Amino acid sequence: MTDTSRPKIAVVGGGTGLPVLLRGLKNLPVELSAIVTVADDGGSSGRLREEMEIPPPGDVRNVIAALSDQEPLIIEMFQHRFNSKSELSGHSLGNLILAALTSITGDFVHAIQEMSRVLNVRGHVLPAANQCVVLNAEMEDGSIVSGESKIPESGKAVKRVFLTPEPIKPLKETIQVIREADLIVLGPGSLYTSILPNLLVPGIGEEICEAKAKKVYICNLMTQPGETLDFSASDHIQALYSHMDCSFIDLILVNNEPIPTHLKYRYQEEQARPVVFDVENLANLGIEVIAEEIVSLDKGLVRHDTEKVAQILHSLIEKE
């Protein structure tokens, strides 16, 4: 049952960033909803999407695992990826289970609900759309690249992204979650391939623009080759605004903790570098800047510290 006494947080995104954030938020006294992209077309998700004509389950699977209160071994099994010479190779068990449940129930959303119940998920997991969508990008040179996984590989600067085919409809539950939220969080995650695909579903972006809730953008720690090369924090915001035709971000959370030199060199080999938070440009956009030490260095990777970020977001609700 819904606990009306708890503040409501809606988190929008996908990829690896969304589960990291949710692991911290699920332990707080809030009612949590995750709106998850369904534009993935690579790996196991892409294969199941093509073979079974269902929305890609990968991003949803990772969110379910992050929000689950099941035993660690059960989650490890759910996330297990087969590595063999058979047709199972590359598939994760969770993806196969979600595909099977979709086939049994006839509905991807119903499959998510049943899987969430079995794994004792804290919160609501909502796909941005209950259908297959294709993410396309118009590049600065005018060329069109189709397919979420192909966009970062093109080596070209992205001008805009858009979804096909039409019509695409949002879930009624998603619209309700946005309208009732006390705080709406976007990111962290790939700007063009994890965050914007949610906002581009007709109705979702518009509802977020008009929602009464405070909207927070969690800025990426590092730039991303093929998507946000040389982007500052304000460049990320401008890209969101140019797609939505409205200025809707109230606050931006940025990192002010130095990245260790050896890791910066490592990321430079991939043409990635720390995102510069240009405070003056952000202020000119009317956005409040929250600068904190929010880095977690895990196995040589630069990630957001899930506990710190969760506490910062919760403090914003308490202020309200």
Side-chain angles (χ1 to χ4, degrees), residues 101 105 108-120:
L101 280 171
T105 64
F108 185 55
V109 172
H110 193 179
I112 294 169
Q113 292 169 343
E114 290 300 315
M115 198 71 258
S116 297
R117 182 178 59 81
V118 170
L119 291 183
N120 196 23

Side-chain angles (χ1 to χ4, degrees), residues 5-267:
S5 66
R6 292 189 168 203
K8 297 178 174 66
I9 300 181
V11 188
V12 181
T16 58
L18 183 56
V20 168
L21 175 61
L22 293 173
R23 287 189 193 99
L25 287 173
K26 78 173 183 179
N27 296 315
L28 298 177
V30 298
E31 185 179 331
L32 199 55
S33 297
I35 301 169
V36 190
T37 179
V38 287
D40 188 11
D41 66 349
S44 170
S45 286
R47 288 162 61 189
L48 290 171
R49 167 189 175 135
E50 185 175 341
E51 293 169 12
M52 298 187 63
E53 296 183 347
I54 63 172
D59 284 345
V60 166
R61 182 198 83 241
N62 286 328
V63 167
I64 289 174
L67 290 175
S68 174
D69 269 345
Q70 270 290 3
E71 296 294 326
L73 183 60
I74 300 296
I75 301 305
E76 186 178 351
M77 179 180 70
F78 183 67
Q79 291 285 65
H80 176 72
R81 193 174 297 276
F82 295 97
N83 183 15
S84 65
K85 294 182 180 179
S86 70
E87 291 185 0
L88 281 176
S89 185
H91 280 303
S92 74
L93 180 60
N95 283 359
L96 296 174
I97 293 174
L98 283 167
L101 280 171
T102 302
S103 181
I104 292 167
T105 64
D107 183 72
F108 185 55
V109 172
H110 193 179
I112 294 169
Q113 292 169 343
E114 290 300 315
M115 198 71 258
S116 297
R117 182 178 59 81
V118 170
L119 291 183
N120 196 23
V121 162
R122 288 195 194 183
H124 311 283
V125 182
L126 299 166
N130 195 16
Q131 65 192 90
C132 289
V133 300
V134 178
L135 182 66
N136 310 274
E138 179 186 355
M139 302 304 185
E140 291 290 354
D141 65 0
S143 62
I144 302 294
V145 176
S146 294
E148 180 265 351
S149 61
K150 297 179 179 64
I151 293 170
E153 297 172 356
S154 69
K156 300 177 180 178
V158 178
K159 181 178 180 181
R160 69 180 182 102
V161 289
F162 59 97
L163 298 175
T164 55
E166 296 181 350
I168 301 169
K169 296 181 179 180
L171 300 177
K172 292 180 181 177
E173 297 91 332
T174 303
I175 300 302
Q176 182 179 351
V177 159
I178 293 169
R179 289 176 178 174
E180 295 180 353
D182 298 296
L183 187 71
I184 296 173
V185 182
L186 292 92
S190 301
L191 177 63
Y192 289 108
T193 55
S194 290
I195 297 173
L196 276 167
N198 294 289
L199 302 181
L200 293 174
V201 172
I204 291 183
E206 291 84 350
E207 288 288 344
I208 289 176
C209 283
E210 297 172 5
K212 61 180 175 57
K214 287 279 189 182
K215 294 104 180 177
V216 184
Y217 178 66
I218 301 179
C219 193
N220 290 341
L221 302 170
M222 308 295 291
T223 61
Q224 188 172 353
E227 286 203 40
T228 56
L229 188 66
D230 295 329
F231 268 38
S232 67
S234 68
D235 289 330
H236 286 75
I237 299 295
Q238 292 283 19
L240 292 171
Y241 285 2
S242 67
H243 282 78
M244 300 315 307
D245 292 328
C246 75
S247 303
F248 61 98
I249 301 296
D250 298 302
L251 307 102
I252 184 170
L253 176 58
V254 297
N255 171 57
N256 64 359
E257 181 178 355
I259 305 297
T261 302
H262 72 282
L263 285 179
K264 284 199 288 188
Y265 283 135
R266 177 177 171 180
Y267 273 85

